Amino acid sequence: MTWRMPAESAPHERTWMAFPCAGPTLGDTPQAAEECYRSWSAVAHSIAAFEPVTMVVDPSETGRARDLLGSDVEILEAPLDEFWMRDVGPTFVLDADRPEVLGAVDWIFNGWGDHEWSQWRKSAGMARIVAEASGAELVSSLLVNEGGGIHVDGAGTVLLTETVQLDPRRNPYADRARVEAELARTLGATHFVWLPRGLSRDYEQFGTNGHVDIVAGMPAPGQVLVHHQPDPDHPDHAVTRELRAFLAQQTDAAGRPFEIVDVPAPETITDDEGFVDWSYINHLVVNDGIVVCGFGEEKADAVAREILEQAYPGRRAVTVDSRAIFERGGGIHCITQQQPALRTEGATR
């Protein structure tokens, strides 16, 4: 078996999501809960305009999910306690030797480091549930990892962060060599770009400790999109400048220096909790489209759509207001997981 994770821009069979249910992420008030339900549903409807969507729903929320999702989205009932599908679900891979086989990598999920606030024991089994429902062959892994902590170009390069996979709350005995060997086995990675850190807010109480999918992504081999915070009053101004300088010294698996494309942050730099981590990097590429985080800033949202449409030629970018999702710790990419199509995975749309 030669497993390989295709680029997100390769054709999809569908996108997987998980519907919100009772817990700390949902919110403390009926208004907050309703905001959460509707934000997740809006993302699902936007994706469904381009490709099928399957929403995993805790039985306690089936009625509400059917009302909000209608006939646009397929529903699969399963027990949940977290609903960040990028992290709790599997990472899908393909087998170069068996083009008819879909694989699903089952990372160990421990609530981003088994924090006192994290509820994860039900969702720790999500990869197996999704693998069975999708007909995928389960690829077991002993690495504590999340889908938001990796990004691939489909040609051997993987971006990851020193403070995630090497986090002692996740993998206390791992080192770079062990992590790289496991990503080579499960994803077909041959070249590893270790970012030194992530965005500032991601290191606060409810953060992931540096997920890469809010900082940088590769729309094509040899090209990297980088979050740019232009406001010097924001701590990420220095962080993103340093990350850009770091990536300017890196290459992809073929030895090419990265062409760096800056993606500016919105103008808003704070909310009620402090400095925001609003980022357009946390988008989802779908068949013929790009579903982009929106922040209620018409000009900045439009600039992001234009940059991303140029990065993914032939795709149409649509914006979904994601402020409620970011308030809870992530964005559109964090709540979704793409399932690649079989046989034609090398093509783009």
Side-chain angles (χ1 to χ4, degrees):
M1 293 176 291
T2 307
W3 296 115
R4 180 181 66 84
M5 183 181 177
E8 194 170 303
S9 56
H12 298 178
E13 178 68 25
R14 67 181 58 248
T15 289
W16 290 82
M17 296 182 64
F19 195 74
C21 60
T25 307
L26 187 62
D28 298 328
T29 66
Q31 181 182 2
E34 183 66 21
E35 184 181 55
C36 187
Y37 292 130
R38 292 196 176 278
S39 295
W40 260 249
S41 299
V43 172
H45 284 298
S46 294
I47 298 169
F50 295 95
E51 66 188 52
V53 179
T54 299
M55 183 78 74
V56 180
V57 180
D58 188 87
S60 65
E61 295 288 358
T62 301
R64 189 192 316 272
R66 293 194 188 281
D67 288 343
L68 287 172
L69 299 174
S71 60
D72 278 357
V73 177
E74 177 186 72
I75 288 177
L76 172 66
E77 284 191 338
L80 288 173
D81 49 13
E82 272 296 357
F83 31 95
W84 303 91
M85 183 57 84
R86 180 70 50 175
D87 295 346
V88 302
T91 296
F92 287 105
V93 291
L94 302 172
D95 187 347
D97 298 326
R98 299 177 296 164
E100 76 285 358
V101 174
L102 178 70
V105 181
D106 180 14
W107 312 111
I108 293 176
F109 178 71
N110 74 346
W112 306 279
D114 194 16
H115 300 275
E116 64 280 355
W117 51 262
S118 56
Q119 298 181 6
W120 53 268
R121 285 167 177 81
K122 290 180 182 179
S123 294
M126 186 53 56
R128 294 184 289 278
I129 292 169
V130 173
E132 181 178 3
S134 62
E137 182 176 314
L138 199 69
V139 183
S140 294
S141 176
L142 293 177
L143 185 71
V144 178
N145 188 39
E146 305 93 34
I150 53 175
H151 189 89
V152 305
D153 66 355
T157 308
V158 60
L159 303 178
L160 61 170
T161 316
E162 292 179 3
T163 55
V164 174
Q165 287 78 16
L166 302 181
D167 180 357
R169 299 185 67 121
R170 287 174 167 102
N171 298 295
Y173 306 111
D175 55 21
R176 285 196 186 198
R178 288 182 173 90
V179 172
E180 290 177 2
E182 182 63 351
L183 297 184
R185 182 184 74 86
T186 54
L187 305 181
T190 60
H191 183 67
F192 308 87
V193 180
W194 288 87
L195 275 66
R197 59 161 298 152
L199 299 184
S200 299
R201 190 158 182 169
D202 215 4
Y203 295 91
E204 296 178 2
Q205 182 180 8
F206 300 110
T208 70
N209 221 43
H211 269 191
V212 71
D213 70 349
I214 202 169
V215 178
M218 296 175 289
Q223 187 179 59
V224 62
L225 301 170
V226 180
H227 178 65
H228 172 55
Q229 175 50 258
D231 194 324
D233 291 331
H234 196 301
D236 284 336
H237 176 72
V239 170
T240 57
R241 184 176 57 195
E242 292 168 5
L243 289 173
R244 191 188 195 283
F246 168 79
L247 286 165
Q249 300 300 315
Q250 306 302 308
T251 66
D252 71 354
R256 292 170 293 205
F258 283 122
E259 174 196 349
I260 296 178
V261 178
D262 293 312
V263 185
E267 291 185 6
T268 301
I269 64 170
T270 61
D271 63 9
D272 293 340
E273 301 297 325
F275 289 105
V276 298
D277 55 357
W278 292 359
S279 170
Y280 296 109
I281 298 296
N282 203 264
H283 56 273
L284 177 71
V285 183
V286 293
N287 294 336
D288 301 320
I290 316 149
V291 184
V292 186
C293 297
F295 301 101
E297 297 186 15
E298 185 175 343
K299 181 179 178 180
D301 290 354
V303 168
R305 288 194 300 271
E306 181 179 356
I307 291 173
L308 293 174
E309 285 182 343
Q310 291 176 355
Y312 303 99
R315 285 179 161 86
R316 178 170 60 89
V318 297
T319 294
V320 181
D321 193 318
S322 301
R323 285 172 287 184
I325 306 175
F326 271 79
E327 285 177 13
R328 289 161 174 81
I332 289 173
H333 197 256
C334 303
I335 66 173
T336 57
Q337 180 62 269
Q338 70 276 1
Q339 177 184 334
L342 295 172
R343 299 183 182 86
T344 59
E345 73 275 7
T348 58
R349 292 186 183 178

